Amino acid sequence: MSEITVRNLTVKYDDFVAVEDVSFDVPHGLHIALVGPSGCGKSTILKSVAGLIPYTGTVDGTPERIGYMPQKGVLLPWYTVMKNLTLPLTLRGISEKEAQKKVESHLEEFGLKGFEDKYPSVLSGGMYQRAALLRTLMVEAPLILLDEPFGAVDALNRRRLWLWLEERRMGWDISTIMVTHDVEEAVFLSDIVIVLDGPPARIKKVVNVPLPHPRDIHHMGTPQFAHLAEEVLEAVIER
Ligand code: ADP
């Protein structure tokens, strides 16, 4: 997979400019976080990269298949967990049986074993997010776009999920672009943090995160981690 390049991205909703002249790169296999206040245009950038909305400028190098996890409504409530998880595969023509086999091989690791036949409404917040993530990964795409993947999860479980995603992600050859307004989440899960301001969304600062992968809980307590989080936070609150 080649590097993804976003150049002079501008998005308008009628006359309202939501994103203005945003350019950045997503190097192969690296993880990008888009950080900024609510409403600044982060989701709009993600939707543009996913090809879901019209824009001006260019987005080059995106793979044919992209896994996109929107903020809400990832799992269809009228389908069981298993059916939700097999859907990205069966939509591509893979047989139900084969899709189930594939999903089953990940259930344990995603903490969903025994919940295959349940409906999304009975899952806890953390379980729902893990199921939504697994569903996104089942697209088997080299690029995944995550829109506040842990937004609905409490602070403690959120950290648990960070560790869990970081560990799981090591085995998949993917790049991610993740939207978040949690500075520590951005630093822990990314190689490059793009701080935005808006609307319209504009890049304020780009912070490189040179911490090695896989990262674990000890990285969160290091002076380097604290320094990086401070650098991002300063850029976020700077006027
Ligand atoms: P963020 O993800 O940073 O919270 P969004 O990208 O969702 O921000 O929204 C950026 C701005 O665009 C906001 O002011 C929002 O109200 C506006 N917006 C988002 N979607 C639409 C839409 N479909 N029509 C009109 N305005 C929209």
Side-chain angles (χ1 to χ4, degrees):
M1 188 180 74
S2 60
E3 177 168 274
I4 294 157
T5 54
V6 177
R7 292 288 175 270
N8 312 105
L9 181 72
T10 297
V11 183
K12 284 184 187 164
Y13 294 114
D14 296 321
D15 289 337
F16 178 76
V17 185
V19 177
E20 189 166 50
D21 204 22
V22 165
S23 300
F24 63 93
D25 295 336
V26 186
H28 174 83
L30 292 196
H31 308 297
I32 311 288
L34 302 178
V35 179
S38 277
C40 79
K42 304 181 294 298
S43 301
T44 301
I45 294 174
L46 217 57
K47 284 178 197 159
S48 310
V49 174
L52 297 172
I53 54 171
Y55 55 83
T56 58
T58 57
V59 179
D60 287 329
T62 45
E64 205 172 292
R65 257 203 321 268
I66 296 174
Y68 171 55
M69 179 175 164
Q71 265 179 42
K72 285 189 207 128
V74 180
L75 304 178
L76 302 173
W78 54 87
Y79 280 160
T80 62
V81 169
M82 178 54 88
K83 182 85 178 158
N84 266 290
L85 295 174
T86 55
L87 204 57
L89 295 160
T90 53
L91 281 174
R92 268 169 37 218
I94 293 168
S95 74
E96 189 71 45
K97 204 171 152 202
E98 208 179 315
Q100 280 190 15
K101 231 169 105 186
K102 215 164 214 174
V103 168
E104 264 156 22
S105 70
H106 296 296
L107 285 177
E108 187 90 57
E109 159 191 27
F110 278 73
L112 295 166
K113 193 116 192 127
F115 286 83
E116 303 89 308
D117 300 326
K118 303 272 191 256
Y119 286 85
S121 60
V122 307
L123 301 180
S124 69
M127 267 186 148
Y128 185 100
Q129 299 294 72
R130 291 200 301 271
L133 253 177
L134 180 54
R135 189 196 179 285
T136 308
L137 293 172
M138 281 297 108
V139 177
E140 298 183 326
L143 175 66
I144 59 168
L145 308 176
L146 307 174
D147 199 343
E148 293 194 30
F150 311 122
V153 182
D154 65 77
L156 289 174
N157 277 313
R158 188 184 275 223
R159 276 158 181 75
R160 196 169 284 148
L161 287 177
W162 296 352
L163 292 164
W164 171 88
L165 174 62
E166 169 71 355
E167 223 177 276
R168 299 301 169 287
R169 206 168 45 178
M170 288 307 286
W172 311 69
D173 186 20
I174 50 172
S175 299
T176 54
I177 308 178
M178 177 183 68
V179 164
T180 178
H181 46 225
D182 184 321
V183 167
E184 290 194 327
E185 181 170 290
V187 172
F188 186 75
L189 288 173
S190 316
D191 302 297
I192 301 167
V193 180
I194 298 176
V195 180
L196 297 151
D197 202 4
R202 290 197 193 100
I203 295 180
K204 270 175 108 181
K205 186 166 187 171
V206 177
V207 177
N208 289 309
V209 181
L211 303 172
H213 292 280
R215 297 172 189 166
D216 60 30
I217 200 155
H218 303 294
H219 288 101
M220 284 189 223
T222 61
Q224 193 184 10
F225 187 90
H227 179 77
L228 287 161
E230 192 183 333
E231 196 179 340
V232 173
L233 186 62
E234 263 175 14
V236 170
I237 60 178
E238 190 185 77
R239 293 241 153 239

